[in-house]
Amino acid sequence: MVQKIGQFVFMLHSHLPYYRMAGMWPFGEECLYECMEETYVPLLNMISELYDEGIKAKLTVGITPILAEQLNDPHLQQGFIDYLDSRIKAVSEDLERYPDPEVAHSQHLKYLAKYYFDWYNRIKDLFINKFNKDLISGFKKFQDLGCIEITTSGATHGFSPLLATDTNLNAQFKVGSDTTKRLFGKKAKGCWLPECAYRQGYEFIGKDGKKKWRPAIEVTLQNNDIEYFFTESHVIEGGNSIGNRRNIGVYGNIEYIPLPKREATGYDTYSAYWLPDAQVAVMKR
C-alpha cells in the first residue's frame, strides 16, 4: 500500500513595526516586549523542549526582517529585562497587598498575582539563562537542527502593490532576504507577503506615452531566490474580499464600498500552485 502524504504547512508568521526608541506605552517598545513575553520566548522554549524529548517541531516560522533586527538589538534586549523587572515589582506589591479582607475576591487576586509573579520570573530566567538574551540565535539553532524553517518578508513590511516602481519592490525583498541570511545564516526559501497583498502583472502607459508591461510580484521574488510565498485566500479562490473601506468623519463609522464581482477560480486552498510568470509557488494563508 502506498501511503499518501498530505499537503499541510504549519506556518506561524510574526511581524511588528519599528518600535525602537519610540516611547513605551501604548504604542512604543512595550508592544514588542509584550509579544516577546507572551509569544516569542514561550514559542522558542516549546521548540527547545520538544527537541529535548526527541521531537522536531517541523514548523515554518515567519520572522519579518524589521522584527528580527529589533530582537537582535542590545537596547531592546536590555529593555525587555527592564520591562520584566517592572512587572515583577508590580505583582510583588500585589502579593503583599492580598489577601485583604475588605476586598471582594481577595484570595483570587492573590492567586493571580502569584501566577504572574511566577510567569514573569520564568520568562526572565529563560531569556537570560537559557537563551542568553538572544532569541535570534535561539531560532537559528533550531533552524540548523532541522526543527523549523524561517521565512522572510519585505525589509520594512512595505505594502507591495502600492510600491511605485520595480526598483522599490526589488529593494524591499533584496534587503529583506539579505537581512534574514545575515541574521539566521542561510537564505530563506519562503516569504510572507506584507499584509498578504499580491499584485499580478499589468500593462500601463509610461511617461513616454508607450505601453509597458510591469511583471507580477513573483518575478521580483524569483530574482531574489525566493521559491514560495503566502498570500490571501481570495487571491487563490477568486471571489471578493471584504471590499474597500472609507472612514466617515474623525470618529465616524466605516463604510464598505463593494468591489466588482470576481468569478471563482475553481482552485482550492489546500495546495500550492506554480505561477505562470516565474518558477515560484504560492500558498494561501
Side-chain angles (χ1 to χ4, degrees):
M1 179 182 292
V2 177
Q3 182 181 8
K4 184 176 181 180
I5 305 299
Q7 300 180 80
F8 176 74
V9 176
F10 198 152
M11 171 61 164
L12 301 175
H13 175 65
S14 57
H15 164 70
L16 286 174
Y18 193 75
Y19 288 124
R20 188 182 189 275
M21 305 294 285
M24 283 292 288
W25 188 88
F27 300 120
E29 291 180 7
E30 196 165 297
C31 294
L32 172 65
Y33 302 148
E34 287 177 348
C35 291
M36 292 172 70
E37 169 237 321
E38 296 176 6
T39 302
Y40 308 144
V41 173
L43 172 63
L44 184 56
N45 188 54
M46 180 273 297
I47 295 169
S48 174
E49 289 183 340
L50 286 174
Y51 184 77
D52 290 342
E53 295 175 13
I55 302 169
K56 293 186 176 182
K58 293 300 180 183
L59 299 173
T60 303
V61 180
I63 304 176
T64 61
I66 195 168
L67 171 58
E69 290 282 24
Q70 292 181 96
L71 294 178
N72 198 50
D73 185 271
H75 165 79
L76 295 170
Q77 292 168 348
Q78 181 57 48
F80 181 50
I81 296 172
D82 295 341
Y83 163 84
L84 293 173
D85 285 340
S86 71
R87 294 301 184 269
I88 292 169
K89 181 177 182 294
V91 295
S92 296
E93 293 172 354
D94 283 341
L95 283 172
E96 295 177 1
R97 181 181 300 120
Y98 301 116
D100 184 342
E102 297 183 2
V103 177
H105 309 296
S106 181
Q107 194 63 43
H108 185 65
L109 293 174
K110 184 176 181 67
Y111 160 79
L112 289 175
K114 181 62 166 62
Y115 173 88
Y116 282 106
F117 179 84
D118 293 341
W119 171 262
Y120 289 123
N121 276 286
R122 170 70 169 155
I123 294 297
K124 181 180 177 181
D125 178 63
L126 289 171
F127 183 67
I128 294 175
N129 298 316
K130 185 171 184 177
F131 301 123
N132 196 31
K133 300 187 289 187
D134 188 355
L135 300 184
I136 293 298
S137 292
F139 282 112
K140 179 183 183 300
K141 171 186 174 180
F142 292 105
Q143 167 198 257
D144 296 342
L145 289 171
C147 301
I148 61 174
E149 178 177 335
I150 296 172
T151 61
T152 189
S153 187
T156 64
H157 210 252
F159 194 75
S160 301
L162 296 185
L163 296 178
T165 68
D166 290 331
T167 301
N168 291 341
L169 184 65
N170 182 72
Q172 280 285 328
F173 290 103
K174 182 182 188 310
V175 174
S177 184
D178 289 349
T179 299
T180 299
K181 182 179 180 180
R182 171 171 53 83
L183 293 177
F184 296 104
K186 62 189 297 186
K187 203 148 190 171
K189 295 181 179 180
C191 170
W192 187 278
L193 291 185
E195 305 300 340
C196 288
Y198 174 76
R199 175 188 55 72
Q200 62 189 17
Y202 65 94
E203 193 175 68
F204 68 100
I205 304 298
K207 293 182 179 179
D208 56 5
K210 296 181 180 179
K211 289 183 178 181
K212 301 181 184 295
W213 177 256
R214 189 176 188 193
I217 286 176
E218 61 264 25
V219 174
T220 296
L221 300 183
Q222 179 176 261
N223 291 341
N224 288 284
D225 301 322
I226 293 171
E227 300 176 13
Y228 68 90
F229 68 93
F230 293 86
T231 188
E232 194 53 84
S233 58
H234 62 266
V235 175
I236 306 294
E237 296 174 318
N240 289 340
S241 64
I242 197 169
N244 295 330
R245 291 179 292 179
R246 180 171 62 194
N247 289 328
I248 308 300
V250 179
Y251 299 106
N253 295 327
I254 296 176
E255 176 185 344
Y256 289 91
I257 306 170
L259 295 173
K261 184 178 180 180
R262 296 170 61 230
E263 297 298 325
T265 63
Y267 298 117
D268 62 43
T269 56
Y270 298 104
S271 300
Y273 299 94
W274 288 111
L275 290 162
D277 292 346
Q279 284 297 295
V280 176
V282 59
M283 283 179 276
K284 163 261 182 185
R285 173 171 79 135

